[in-house]
Amino acid sequence: MPLSEAKIGIMTHALHYGTACFEGIRGNWNSEEKQIYLFRVRDHFQRLKKSCHIMKISLPYSVDELCQFTVELVEKNGYREDIYVRPLAYKSSQVVGVRLHNLEDDFLMFVIPFGPYLDINKGCRCCVSTWRRIDDNMIPPRAKVTGLYVNSALAKTEAWENGFDEAILLNQYGHVSEGSGENIFLVVEGRLVTPPSSDNILVGITRNTIIELAKNELGIDTMERSIGRNELYIADECFLTGTAAHVTPVIEIDHRRIGEGAVGEITKKLQQLYFDVVRGKNPRYIDWCTPAYSSKTVA
Ligand SMILES: Cc1ncc(COP(=O)(O)O)c(C=O)c1O
């Protein structure tokens, strides 16, 4: 149905208590092939199913069915530019009362045109947030739960109001966790370093993509280990990864230049590899790309 007609009631449980799980899936426009490639769509729905399991939200569709709905939705909309698909599984009962049990669940999905989220060319300026990343025993960070994003929103707006582009959150032990909507990587002496899942990150699909590309294409290993705040300042390079953010270089943190204060060499190589892969231009990784348009639509 048209977006303007897709309404939910004002008493919907998820609106009041943040009891919903979502994903963000990018469709990347390939202008030569006149095709939109949905990137790692299966992985996104596998993660959504895990999030729903944690949140006791019933999602009565298989990963295959959800992928099929996505292709149909994108094809029906017919965009010829980069897009973003937002599936949301939510507690739909119109009742007052904080809980997860004895509630109905529902599912929705929409697609919108979506350009860059942060400056992928110039890079971004970050600060370490005064807000700490939520802990596993508060809201499971591995699950993409809407209510959890209050944590990200507080950090993002604080950063923006203080003149930065993005926030980097530490966890309760002071270890670097991630950006408000991105995972973080450092380049240290030619190797990649990124926080482990035990430091309260959302285990990102782009993060995994970069780990694979660095290893397979550049012969660069990634160390998943806790990172201290001070290591941010002295890293050779730093970048953020996420479905929205793609691979965004970080050129400054807390008013300290990172490396040369420009996009680093390894970051640049990974960016190039990544953009070819997500637009379906690298045959080695074509299995990660689902074409949304049938040959008839393309013609
Ligand atoms: C808090 C947070 N961390 C990390 C990511 C990156 O995850 P992915 O690469 O799967 O999009 C996202 C975006 O989904 C996010 O919201």
Side-chain angles (χ1 to χ4, degrees):
M1 66 177 71
L3 207 44
S4 58
E5 287 171 26
K7 308 281 188 208
I8 53 174
I10 62 166
M11 279 180 64
T12 302
H13 196 271
L15 176 65
H16 295 259
Y17 304 116
T19 47
C21 299
F22 70 104
E23 275 300 320
I25 305 167
R26 264 199 190 262
N28 300 294
W29 175 238
N30 179 320
S31 54
E32 288 100 67
E33 295 179 34
K34 305 212 175 341
Q35 181 60 272
I36 284 183
Y37 283 107
L38 295 160
F39 191 59
R40 298 191 67 167
V41 64
R42 290 190 67 79
D43 297 293
H44 281 284
F45 284 121
Q46 271 158 5
R47 187 169 67 187
L48 183 64
K49 292 204 66 105
K50 286 180 191 159
S51 298
C52 287
H53 180 69
I54 290 172
M55 286 296 288
K56 295 179 175 288
I57 294 175
S58 137
L59 181 58
Y61 308 110
S62 67
V63 168
D64 283 338
E65 284 173 313
L66 291 163
C67 291
Q68 191 49 41
F69 297 159
T70 311
V71 168
E72 275 175 39
L73 179 72
V74 173
E75 183 152 45
K76 277 196 164 75
N77 278 275
Y79 288 114
R80 288 176 134 57
E81 59 194 300
D82 291 346
I83 52 148
Y84 186 82
V85 179
R86 166 57 55 82
L88 184 94
Y90 62 103
K91 292 283 174 199
S92 58
S93 294
Q94 310 248 350
V95 293
V96 169
V98 185
R99 61 178 190 270
L100 296 180
H101 60 277
N102 295 344
L103 295 168
E104 284 169 12
D105 305 312
D106 213 335
F107 176 72
L108 61 82
M109 181 154 62
F110 62 83
V111 55
I112 51 166
F114 204 65
Y117 182 69
L118 291 166
D119 193 329
I120 46 179
N121 299 317
K122 211 168 88 227
C124 70
R125 297 174 54 252
C126 296
C127 62
V128 171
S129 183
T130 65
W131 297 97
R132 292 291 172 115
R133 174 82 176 153
I134 43 90
D135 182 53
D136 197 18
N137 292 308
M138 299 170 180
I139 306 171
R142 178 182 286 276
K144 224 170 143 56
V145 181
T146 54
L148 187 157
Y149 277 78
V150 170
N151 184 229
S152 290
L154 287 166
K156 177 80 182 190
T157 293
E158 179 193 55
W160 183 78
E161 287 178 347
N162 288 333
F164 297 97
D165 304 308
E166 188 52 285
I168 297 168
L169 288 93
L170 310 179
N171 67 13
Q172 78 275 27
Y173 302 114
H175 302 158
V176 173
S177 184
E178 59 179 3
S180 71
E182 310 85 17
N183 294 118
I184 187 166
F185 283 83
L186 302 182
V187 178
V188 180
E189 293 173 359
R191 293 171 79 186
L192 296 183
V193 185
T194 195
S197 61
S198 50
D199 276 338
N200 298 357
I201 65 168
L202 177 79
V203 185
I205 291 163
T206 321
R207 174 182 181 273
N208 174 264
T209 302
I210 288 302
I211 293 173
E212 290 287 313
L213 292 179
K215 185 159 131 231
N216 301 343
E217 305 300 320
L218 303 178
I220 296 176
D221 285 329
T222 302
M223 266 182 86
E224 295 183 48
R225 65 154 174 86
S226 293
I227 296 174
R229 177 179 185 162
N230 64 89
E231 290 184 82
L232 294 174
Y233 303 146
I234 56 166
D236 300 322
E237 299 178 30
C238 176
F239 59 88
L240 302 171
T241 63
T243 297
H246 293 305
V247 177
T248 299
V250 176
I251 54 169
E252 197 183 298
I253 301 174
D254 289 346
H255 302 288
R256 289 158 179 88
R257 207 182 55 230
I258 305 303
E260 299 300 315
V263 183
E265 280 311 305
I266 292 178
T267 307
K268 212 178 286 170
K269 282 187 194 153
L270 285 168
Q271 260 189 336
Q272 280 160 1
L273 279 164
Y274 166 85
F275 280 114
D276 272 354
V277 166
V278 300
R279 294 198 192 286
K281 294 180 179 174
N282 187 331
R284 286 183 67 175
Y285 299 93
I286 202 68
D287 288 352
W288 277 344
C289 300
T290 305
Y293 296 150
S294 64
S295 45
K296 210 170 92 213
T297 322
V298 171

